[in-house]
Amino acid sequence: MKRILSLVFCAFLGLPATAQGPAKAEQFILANGMTLIVAPDRRAPTAVHMLWLRVGAMDEVDGNTGLAHVLEHMMFKGTRKLGPGEFSRRVAALGGRENAFTSLDYTGYFQQIPANRLQDVMQLEADRFANNRWSDAEFHKELEVVKEERRMRTEDNPRALLYESLNAATFQAAPYRRPVVGWMSDLESMTPDDARAFYRRWYVPANAVVVVAGDVDVPQVRRLAEQTYGRVPARAVPARKPRSEPLQGGLRRIDVKAPAEQAYVALAFKVPGLVSLTTPTAQDDDALALTVLAAVLDGYSGARLERALAQGQDRVADGAGASNGLMGRGPQLFVLDGVPAQGKTAAQVEAALREQVARVTREGISAAELERVKTQWVASEVYKRDSLMYQARELGSQWVQGLPLDASERLLARLRAVTAEQVQAVAARYFGDDQLTVAQLLPQPLDPHRPKRQPAAGSRH
C-alpha cells in the first residue's frame, strides 16, 4: 500500500512540443457538465481513451465499504444494448485492450485502441456510463469474485493486511480508514440495489472527465464527445460533507499477526498534503519539502536508508523505505518502513528509521543529494512522455485533484525550487510521537499444506 511518490513522478517536463511529439492538452466542458481533455500525440497511430470519475472508496459510508470497487466490476456486466462481457469482447475485436481501477479517490476505465477506432470505444463507454444494467444473479456471481480478490490480495498478503490495519488505526474520522476492496462483512451483506444506488448517485456527467491522448484531432474528438457523452442527461453532483481528521493525541501502536516468513514494521506520520499549485501556501511548501525528504531517504539506489540500514556486516534491515503521499482528496501520510535483518528486531529497525530523520534534522542534507534527486525526476519524465497511457493517467488524476492542465509543469518547477533548508525544517517539524502510528507484523508459522489461491475467474485486475 506504499504510495511511493506516485504524483511526484507524474510531472511532465513542459518542454516545447515537436510536430511528432506531444502537443499541449486542451480542456472543454460539455453542455451537461462533463469535462473533456484531449492531448494529441502523433508519434504512433494509436490512442488511449479514459473515463475518470471523482468517486472512490472515500465516498462510501460505514456498512457499505467496497461499493466503488464492486461497481467497477459491474460496469463490465452489461447495458441496455450489451450483455455481460460483451463490452470487453467488442474492444478486443477492435484490436484494443481495456481494464479499470478503483482507488480511495477515484474510479477509472480505459481502452487503448488503434486511433481510427476511437469513435467506436467512445460510443461503447458512453453507453456503459449512462445505461449500466445487470441482473441480481450477475451481481451475486461477481460479488464472489470480489470476495476472492479480497482473500487473495489482502487476507493472504501479510503486508497488505498490515496496511489495512494501519490505516484503520491511523485515521478516525477521515474516510481513508476504509479499505478500497471493502471489509468482508460489508461484502457479505451487500445487495444489488446498494450498487445500483451508488451508480445512480455518483455516475453523473459533472462528476466525470473523458481523457483522450494519442494520434487524434482535437476538434474531431470534441465532436465525438458531444455526440456520445454529450447526450447523457445532466444531473447534480451530490454534496460532499467534510470529514476532517481530529488532531492525534499521542503515539499509537498496533500488532498484526499473520503467517509470514519475516517481521515488518511501518511508521505512518500525519503530514500536510499539497492543496494548490496556483496559490501556494506554507502548507504546500512543506508538502513538497517532505516529498524531497522521502526521495533523499529512499529515492535512488544507495540512498540514505539503504546505506545506513541495509548495507554492511552490522546492517539492521534487509530493506527499508520512505514515501510521502503528497496529494489526494484526503489527509496524507509520510511512511517509513523496514524488514528486520536476521537477528535484529522490529524495534531496532524502527529506531534506526527514526534516527535517519533525526540526522537530517541535526545535519541537514547535502547539495549533492538535493541535486541528485531533482535530476532524477527530470530524467524520469523524459522517458515517461513516451507513454500515452501515462499521459492520459496523469491528466485524469490531476483533474480528480482539481488541478489545472499545466499542473505537471508547475509541480516539477515547485519541486526543483525546494531548498535544503526547507527539507531540514520539515524533518524537525513532522516526525514527533503525536503524529505517529506504528504497525508491526508479528510472523506466524506458515501452513505448508495450505493451497495457494488463484485469481478468481472474471477478475478485472
Side-chain angles (χ1 to χ4, degrees), residues 69 83 100 145 168 172 176 192 204 206 230 293 333 337 353-354 382 435 456:
H69 177 239
V145 173
Q172 293 181 326
Y176 278 7
V204 300
L293 173 61
L333 297 174
D337 71 308
L353 289 166
R354 299 194 71 176
V382 172
Q435 295 152 299

PDB file of all heavy atoms in Angstrom, residues 69 83 100 145 168 172 176 192 204 206 230 293 333 337 353-354 382 435 456:
ATOM      1  N   HIS A  69     -15.569  -0.214  -5.700  1.00  0.00           N
ATOM      2  CA  HIS A  69     -14.827  -1.268  -6.390  1.00  0.00           C
ATOM      3  C   HIS A  69     -15.761  -2.318  -6.982  1.00  0.00           C
ATOM      4  O   HIS A  69     -15.561  -2.778  -8.119  1.00  0.00           O
ATOM      5  CB  HIS A  69     -13.850  -1.907  -5.409  1.00  0.00           C
ATOM      6  CG  HIS A  69     -13.085  -3.045  -5.984  1.00  0.00           C
ATOM      7  ND1 HIS A  69     -13.135  -4.319  -5.454  1.00  0.00           N
ATOM      8  CD2 HIS A  69     -12.254  -3.135  -7.053  1.00  0.00           C
ATOM      9  CE1 HIS A  69     -12.377  -5.121  -6.167  1.00  0.00           C
ATOM     10  NE2 HIS A  69     -11.825  -4.440  -7.135  1.00  0.00           N
ATOM     11  N   GLY A  83     -24.825  -7.450 -23.450  1.00  0.00           N
ATOM     12  CA  GLY A  83     -24.896  -8.435 -22.387  1.00  0.00           C
ATOM     13  C   GLY A  83     -23.606  -8.485 -21.587  1.00  0.00           C
ATOM     14  O   GLY A  83     -22.624  -7.810 -21.910  1.00  0.00           O
ATOM     15  N   ALA A 100      -9.904  -1.504 -15.811  1.00  0.00           N
ATOM     16  CA  ALA A 100     -10.421  -0.447 -14.940  1.00  0.00           C
ATOM     17  C   ALA A 100      -9.695  -0.507 -13.613  1.00  0.00           C
ATOM     18  O   ALA A 100      -8.980  -1.469 -13.317  1.00  0.00           O
ATOM     19  CB  ALA A 100     -11.930  -0.622 -14.736  1.00  0.00           C
ATOM     20  N   VAL A 145     -16.453 -13.047  -6.922  1.00  0.00           N
ATOM     21  CA  VAL A 145     -15.142 -12.753  -7.500  1.00  0.00           C
ATOM     22  C   VAL A 145     -14.422 -11.705  -6.645  1.00  0.00           C
ATOM     23  O   VAL A 145     -13.228 -11.826  -6.352  1.00  0.00           O
ATOM     24  CB  VAL A 145     -15.287 -12.256  -8.952  1.00  0.00           C
ATOM     25  CG1 VAL A 145     -13.937 -11.771  -9.498  1.00  0.00           C
ATOM     26  CG2 VAL A 145     -15.852 -13.353  -9.842  1.00  0.00           C
ATOM     27  N   ALA A 168      -6.703   1.870   9.345  1.00  0.00           N
ATOM     28  CA  ALA A 168      -7.858   1.891  10.244  1.00  0.00           C
ATOM     29  C   ALA A 168      -7.499   2.467  11.606  1.00  0.00           C
ATOM     30  O   ALA A 168      -8.325   3.099  12.267  1.00  0.00           O
ATOM     31  CB  ALA A 168      -8.427   0.482  10.391  1.00  0.00           C
ATOM     32  N   GLN A 172      -9.323   8.252  12.219  1.00  0.00           N
ATOM     33  CA  GLN A 172     -10.535   8.036  12.995  1.00  0.00           C
ATOM     34  C   GLN A 172     -11.765   8.539  12.257  1.00  0.00           C
ATOM     35  O   GLN A 172     -12.759   7.824  12.135  1.00  0.00           O
ATOM     36  CB  GLN A 172     -10.414   8.732  14.348  1.00  0.00           C
ATOM     37  CG  GLN A 172      -9.355   8.125  15.249  1.00  0.00           C
ATOM     38  CD  GLN A 172      -9.260   8.821  16.591  1.00  0.00           C
ATOM     39  OE1 GLN A 172      -9.459  10.028  16.708  1.00  0.00           O
ATOM     40  NE2 GLN A 172      -8.954   8.056  17.626  1.00  0.00           N
ATOM     41  N   TYR A 176     -10.234   7.716   4.640  1.00  0.00           N
ATOM     42  CA  TYR A 176      -9.121   6.867   4.211  1.00  0.00           C
ATOM     43  C   TYR A 176      -8.917   5.673   5.139  1.00  0.00           C
ATOM     44  O   TYR A 176      -8.082   4.804   4.863  1.00  0.00           O
ATOM     45  CB  TYR A 176      -7.833   7.683   4.162  1.00  0.00           C
ATOM     46  CG  TYR A 176      -7.638   8.496   2.891  1.00  0.00           C
ATOM     47  CD1 TYR A 176      -8.642   8.593   1.930  1.00  0.00           C
ATOM     48  CD2 TYR A 176      -6.450   9.163   2.649  1.00  0.00           C
ATOM     49  CE1 TYR A 176      -8.462   9.337   0.788  1.00  0.00           C
ATOM     50  CE2 TYR A 176      -6.247   9.912   1.495  1.00  0.00           C
ATOM     51  CZ  TYR A 176      -7.260  10.001   0.568  1.00  0.00           C
ATOM     52  OH  TYR A 176      -7.071  10.734  -0.573  1.00  0.00           O
ATOM     53  N   PRO A 192     -27.611  -6.042  -4.553  1.00  0.00           N
ATOM     54  CA  PRO A 192     -27.583  -5.431  -5.885  1.00  0.00           C
ATOM     55  C   PRO A 192     -28.063  -3.990  -5.871  1.00  0.00           C
ATOM     56  O   PRO A 192     -27.512  -3.134  -6.564  1.00  0.00           O
ATOM     57  CB  PRO A 192     -28.516  -6.333  -6.699  1.00  0.00           C
ATOM     58  CG  PRO A 192     -28.489  -7.646  -6.000  1.00  0.00           C
ATOM     59  CD  PRO A 192     -28.349  -7.328  -4.552  1.00  0.00           C
ATOM     60  N   VAL A 204     -22.569  10.623 -12.713  1.00  0.00           N
ATOM     61  CA  VAL A 204     -23.258  11.741 -13.350  1.00  0.00           C
ATOM     62  C   VAL A 204     -22.222  12.521 -14.161  1.00  0.00           C
ATOM     63  O   VAL A 204     -21.032  12.549 -13.818  1.00  0.00           O
ATOM     64  CB  VAL A 204     -23.954  12.641 -12.318  1.00  0.00           C
ATOM     65  CG1 VAL A 204     -24.990  11.836 -11.533  1.00  0.00           C
ATOM     66  CG2 VAL A 204     -22.956  13.285 -11.370  1.00  0.00           C
ATOM     67  N   ALA A 206     -21.257  15.630 -14.570  1.00  0.00           N
ATOM     68  CA  ALA A 206     -20.436  16.666 -13.945  1.00  0.00           C
ATOM     69  C   ALA A 206     -19.426  16.102 -12.958  1.00  0.00           C
ATOM     70  O   ALA A 206     -18.580  16.851 -12.453  1.00  0.00           O
ATOM     71  CB  ALA A 206     -21.326  17.692 -13.251  1.00  0.00           C
ATOM     72  N   GLY A 230     -22.118  13.736 -24.623  1.00  0.00           N
ATOM     73  CA  GLY A 230     -22.923  14.953 -24.502  1.00  0.00           C
ATOM     74  C   GLY A 230     -24.409  14.707 -24.470  1.00  0.00           C
ATOM     75  O   GLY A 230     -25.180  15.593 -24.067  1.00  0.00           O
ATOM     76  N   LEU A 293      12.340  15.092   0.932  1.00  0.00           N
ATOM     77  CA  LEU A 293      12.935  14.318   2.024  1.00  0.00           C
ATOM     78  C   LEU A 293      12.792  12.828   1.767  1.00  0.00           C
ATOM     79  O   LEU A 293      13.752  12.051   1.948  1.00  0.00           O
ATOM     80  CB  LEU A 293      12.282  14.690   3.353  1.00  0.00           C
ATOM     81  CG  LEU A 293      12.685  13.832   4.567  1.00  0.00           C
ATOM     82  CD1 LEU A 293      14.186  13.930   4.828  1.00  0.00           C
ATOM     83  CD2 LEU A 293      11.878  14.245   5.800  1.00  0.00           C
ATOM     84  N   LEU A 333       0.021  10.887   4.452  1.00  0.00           N
ATOM     85  CA  LEU A 333       0.939  10.238   5.379  1.00  0.00           C
ATOM     86  C   LEU A 333       2.345  10.199   4.788  1.00  0.00           C
ATOM     87  O   LEU A 333       2.517  10.037   3.579  1.00  0.00           O
ATOM     88  CB  LEU A 333       0.498   8.798   5.676  1.00  0.00           C
ATOM     89  CG  LEU A 333      -0.847   8.601   6.359  1.00  0.00           C
ATOM     90  CD1 LEU A 333      -1.170   7.114   6.435  1.00  0.00           C
ATOM     91  CD2 LEU A 333      -0.864   9.233   7.740  1.00  0.00           C
ATOM     92  N   ASP A 337       9.405   2.422   6.473  1.00  0.00           N
ATOM     93  CA  ASP A 337       9.158   1.004   6.695  1.00  0.00           C
ATOM     94  C   ASP A 337      10.445   0.217   6.555  1.00  0.00           C
ATOM     95  O   ASP A 337      11.426   0.684   5.955  1.00  0.00           O
ATOM     96  CB  ASP A 337       8.097   0.470   5.726  1.00  0.00           C
ATOM     97  CG  ASP A 337       8.624   0.375   4.305  1.00  0.00           C
ATOM     98  OD1 ASP A 337       9.158   1.375   3.802  1.00  0.00           O
ATOM     99  OD2 ASP A 337       8.517  -0.702   3.693  1.00  0.00           O
ATOM    100  N   LEU A 353      15.237   3.842  11.633  1.00  0.00           N
ATOM    101  CA  LEU A 353      14.495   4.689  10.693  1.00  0.00           C
ATOM    102  C   LEU A 353      14.323   6.097  11.252  1.00  0.00           C
ATOM    103  O   LEU A 353      14.577   7.100  10.570  1.00  0.00           O
ATOM    104  CB  LEU A 353      13.132   4.075  10.386  1.00  0.00           C
ATOM    105  CG  LEU A 353      13.126   2.812   9.518  1.00  0.00           C
ATOM    106  CD1 LEU A 353      11.773   2.131   9.574  1.00  0.00           C
ATOM    107  CD2 LEU A 353      13.495   3.150   8.069  1.00  0.00           C
ATOM    108  N   ARG A 354      13.930   6.182  12.494  1.00  0.00           N
ATOM    109  CA  ARG A 354      13.713   7.491  13.103  1.00  0.00           C
ATOM    110  C   ARG A 354      15.029   8.250  13.258  1.00  0.00           C
ATOM    111  O   ARG A 354      15.062   9.484  13.161  1.00  0.00           O
ATOM    112  CB  ARG A 354      12.988   7.338  14.442  1.00  0.00           C
ATOM    113  CG  ARG A 354      11.609   6.685  14.302  1.00  0.00           C
ATOM    114  CD  ARG A 354      10.763   6.830  15.536  1.00  0.00           C
ATOM    115  NE  ARG A 354      10.318   8.206  15.726  1.00  0.00           N
ATOM    116  CZ  ARG A 354       9.491   8.588  16.697  1.00  0.00           C
ATOM    117  NH1 ARG A 354       9.035   7.696  17.567  1.00  0.00           N
ATOM    118  NH2 ARG A 354       9.124   9.855  16.817  1.00  0.00           N
ATOM    119  N   VAL A 382      11.579  12.362 -19.068  1.00  0.00           N
ATOM    120  CA  VAL A 382      11.960  12.257 -20.475  1.00  0.00           C
ATOM    121  C   VAL A 382      11.443  10.946 -21.060  1.00  0.00           C
ATOM    122  O   VAL A 382      10.928  10.888 -22.173  1.00  0.00           O
ATOM    123  CB  VAL A 382      13.482  12.352 -20.628  1.00  0.00           C
ATOM    124  CG1 VAL A 382      13.897  12.034 -22.064  1.00  0.00           C
ATOM    125  CG2 VAL A 382      13.970  13.735 -20.220  1.00  0.00           C
ATOM    126  N   GLN A 435       2.132  12.532  16.027  1.00  0.00           N
ATOM    127  CA  GLN A 435       1.688  12.392  14.637  1.00  0.00           C
ATOM    128  C   GLN A 435       1.908  10.977  14.108  1.00  0.00           C
ATOM    129  O   GLN A 435       1.726  10.718  12.923  1.00  0.00           O
ATOM    130  CB  GLN A 435       2.469  13.387  13.756  1.00  0.00           C
ATOM    131  CG  GLN A 435       2.172  14.849  14.087  1.00  0.00           C
ATOM    132  CD  GLN A 435       3.348  15.759  13.758  1.00  0.00           C
ATOM    133  OE1 GLN A 435       4.435  15.603  14.301  1.00  0.00           O
ATOM    134  NE2 GLN A 435       3.123  16.707  12.860  1.00  0.00           N
ATOM    135  N   ALA A 456      -9.654 -15.322  -9.118  1.00  0.00           N
ATOM    136  CA  ALA A 456     -10.992 -15.808  -9.468  1.00  0.00           C
ATOM    137  C   ALA A 456     -11.326 -15.471 -10.913  1.00  0.00           C
ATOM    138  O   ALA A 456     -10.897 -14.456 -11.449  1.00  0.00           O
ATOM    139  CB  ALA A 456     -12.022 -15.174  -8.534  1.00  0.00           C
TER     140      ALA A 456
END
